[in-house]
Amino acid sequence: MIKFFRQIRYRLMNENKTSRYLKYAIGEILLVMIGILLALQVNNWNEQRKLRQQELDALVEVRSDLVNTMWDIDNNLTKMTDWLESAWKIKRLINTSDEFPDSLGSDLVNVTLDEFLYPSSKAYTALKSAGFKLIKNEDIQRRLDRLYARNYPRLQMSTSIEPDIQTYFSDYVKNNFQAVSQDTLYNSGRKAEDLSGRELFQTGHHHQSLHYAPNDYAQFKKDTEFQILLENTINWRMMKILRYRGARTNTDETIDLIEKYISGKIKLSQTRNLAYLLDYENGIDHILDIIQKGDTDDQGYNISEAAINSLGYRLIRGDRPMDALKILKLNTEIYPNAFNTFDSYGEILLVTGDTANAIKAYEKSLELNPENENAKKVLLELK
């Protein structure tokens, strides 16, 4: 092509056609400039496309960190709520009971426990070190700064506003309580390596195997030191619950904003917990819609059989049997070949008093899995 243009220039010069040559030269220059501009524009498009992809990838990583942090927030919030309830039980006990009931031994343990947030922050730290240049949405930037600079630090051990309750109570526990172990495995003669994961979990999780009892209950009832400790703990616990709720709401809203921003541009992994939606108005209806919608590119919730089943049992524990019935029934429809969905559905049917349909559900579960011992046991009792 260059040789072709050169030949045209030589011919015009040899024919002494200066004006035509100048016009041609100007035209050639314009063509070269247009080519350069087009090349620059294409390069700019490619760079913008790369930056956009990098932004999407970064936001996916941030979302993943926020979802992991949300699990920690949710678990800690549940613990804090249970521990506050235990503190109230102990307070009522001191005022009403002349004897210390063994059933409240675990509540004494709960009063002395504490937990802190360990947020996932790898993606945010990387973005912050780069000056947030990748994230174009200013609202997302502001929300991430609020979470990692204000909400999360107030729930972490080293930067928490409220003190560590477990440390606060430690001296009193050592001097005034005796530990009563509910663990029967230690004298069973079995070796630790032979214990199943389920046995280890049931025995060790949430200190369920340990109870406290006052050394002297009569003295304990009128002990002003404990009363001060308890009152301070209750106040701090309520403030921690308030902060956890705020962090949970802000985290959830930030995840929603990120998902909306990247919706349709990249497939989301199903990592969000359906239980997050329970606190919202019409939460159950929203959850049912999400499950029925199924696995789509913009679906970010975990709608596996196990996740739905777990949500159903959470509703049962929360004294919401009719909502649990809806969830567990839908699980049998979404996963019709899973024996465990029918087993769980049969259980909630029994809770709601529908024995006839409970029998059908357990029979279906046994049909799908003839080795289901739980279904066999329940059906034997019901028939």
Side-chain angles (χ1 to χ4, degrees):
M1 183 63 70
I2 296 176
K3 183 177 180 181
F4 173 74
F5 286 129
R6 186 185 298 120
Q7 289 176 348
I8 294 177
R9 289 199 302 272
Y10 286 156
R11 181 168 58 80
L12 292 174
M13 291 176 63
N14 291 333
E15 294 177 358
N16 201 26
K17 297 179 179 179
T18 306
S19 61
R20 291 184 62 186
Y21 175 78
L22 290 174
K23 292 178 181 178
Y24 168 79
I26 292 172
E28 187 175 329
I29 292 171
L30 289 174
L31 286 174
V32 172
M33 291 178 63
I34 291 172
I36 293 173
L37 290 174
L38 287 174
L40 289 173
Q41 185 62 43
V42 170
N43 184 66
N44 185 55
W45 286 338
N46 286 332
E47 289 300 317
Q48 291 297 322
R49 180 182 58 80
K50 290 179 182 178
L51 288 174
R52 178 58 172 161
Q53 186 59 48
Q54 289 175 0
E55 180 188 27
L56 293 175
D57 292 340
L59 287 175
V60 167
E61 292 181 7
V62 169
R63 172 186 174 272
S64 179
D65 278 355
L66 291 178
V67 169
N68 289 334
T69 301
M70 193 70 154
W71 279 93
D72 201 15
I73 290 173
D74 196 49
N75 288 334
N76 289 358
L77 185 54
T78 299
K79 292 177 184 178
M80 292 289 170
T81 304
D82 290 342
W83 295 341
L84 179 60
E85 291 282 354
S86 289
W88 286 336
K89 287 182 184 179
I90 297 298
K91 188 173 182 178
R92 288 192 295 268
L93 169 73
I94 292 174
N95 295 326
T96 60
S97 178
D98 293 329
E99 294 183 1
F100 182 81
D102 293 339
S103 60
L104 287 181
S106 60
D107 291 305
L108 266 186
V109 175
N110 290 344
V111 165
T112 68
L113 296 177
D114 209 347
E115 187 61 89
F116 294 91
L117 182 67
Y118 297 91
S120 300
S121 58
K122 183 178 180 181
Y124 171 78
T125 301
L127 284 171
K128 189 176 181 180
S129 65
F132 275 115
K133 294 178 182 179
L134 282 178
I135 308 301
K136 305 302 180 185
N137 188 296
E138 294 182 357
D139 194 12
I140 292 178
Q141 291 183 26
R142 285 193 297 269
R143 286 177 175 273
L144 288 174
D145 270 333
R146 181 172 64 180
L147 287 172
Y148 284 98
R150 187 173 66 185
N151 291 143
Y152 295 163
R154 294 180 179 181
L155 297 172
Q156 295 174 261
M157 179 175 286
S158 60
T159 50
S160 173
I161 296 176
E162 287 76 30
D164 178 3
I165 292 173
Q166 191 158 350
T167 300
Y168 180 66
F169 251 108
S170 61
D171 288 339
Y172 189 89
V173 170
K174 287 185 291 185
N175 296 327
N176 297 278
F177 291 161
Q178 55 181 307
V180 181
S181 177
Q182 305 295 309
D183 177 15
T184 59
L185 291 174
Y186 72 95
N187 62 359
S188 65
R190 298 173 63 192
K191 294 183 178 180
E193 59 264 27
D194 295 330
L195 300 179
S196 68
R198 183 179 182 87
E199 288 172 310
L200 291 171
F201 179 82
Q202 289 178 334
T203 304
H205 190 55
H206 290 321
H207 300 263
Q208 290 175 349
S209 64
L210 179 64
H211 287 199
Y212 286 157
N215 292 332
D216 184 340
Y217 181 61
Q219 175 62 32
F220 172 71
K221 280 193 66 175
K222 57 184 180 181
D223 190 344
T224 55
E225 181 183 0
F226 178 79
Q227 292 171 14
I228 292 172
L229 291 172
L230 185 63
E231 288 297 332
N232 286 339
T233 297
I234 289 173
N235 291 335
W236 291 332
R237 193 81 78 191
M238 288 192 290
M239 289 305 300
K240 290 188 177 190
I241 289 173
L242 184 62
R243 298 189 199 286
Y244 268 107
R245 286 179 178 176
R248 181 183 180 183
T249 298
N250 291 336
T251 303
D252 196 39
E253 289 176 350
T254 304
I255 295 173
D256 283 339
L257 183 62
I258 291 174
E259 290 183 348
K260 183 177 180 181
Y261 186 67
I262 65 180
S263 176
K265 303 177 181 68
I266 194 166
K267 182 176 177 61
L268 298 174
S269 60
Q270 292 186 335
T271 54
R272 297 187 71 181
N273 192 338
L274 290 168
Y276 300 155
L277 301 172
L278 291 176
D279 292 338
Y280 292 92
E281 186 177 358
N282 300 321
I284 287 295
D285 292 336
H286 189 189
I287 290 172
L288 293 173
D289 288 341
I290 288 173
I291 297 173
Q292 290 170 334
K293 183 180 180 182
D295 183 9
T296 62
D297 285 353
D298 60 349
Q299 177 71 280
Y301 287 92
N302 183 354
I303 56 172
S304 66
E305 173 202 336
I308 299 172
N309 210 56
S310 176
L311 177 62
Y313 278 103
R314 178 170 181 155
L315 289 165
I316 294 174
R317 292 192 301 271
D319 197 25
R320 298 171 62 175
M322 300 315 297
D323 288 335
L325 185 66
K326 294 177 183 177
I327 292 294
L328 294 175
K329 181 177 186 299
L330 181 58
N331 207 19
T332 65
E333 296 169 358
I334 300 296
Y335 299 98
N337 297 319
F339 80 94
N340 193 49
T341 63
F342 287 94
D343 189 282
S344 299
Y345 183 45
E347 183 174 341
I348 187 58
L349 285 168
L350 285 179
V351 170
T352 57
D354 191 349
T355 305
N357 284 316
I359 291 174
K360 292 179 182 179
Y362 279 114
E363 287 176 340
K364 180 63 177 179
S365 177
L366 196 58
E367 176 188 329
L368 293 169
N369 179 16
E371 303 301 319
N372 184 358
E373 295 298 328
N374 182 64
K376 293 178 183 178
K377 179 181 177 181
V378 174
L379 286 172
L380 188 63
E381 295 173 352
L382 293 176
K383 291 183 176 180

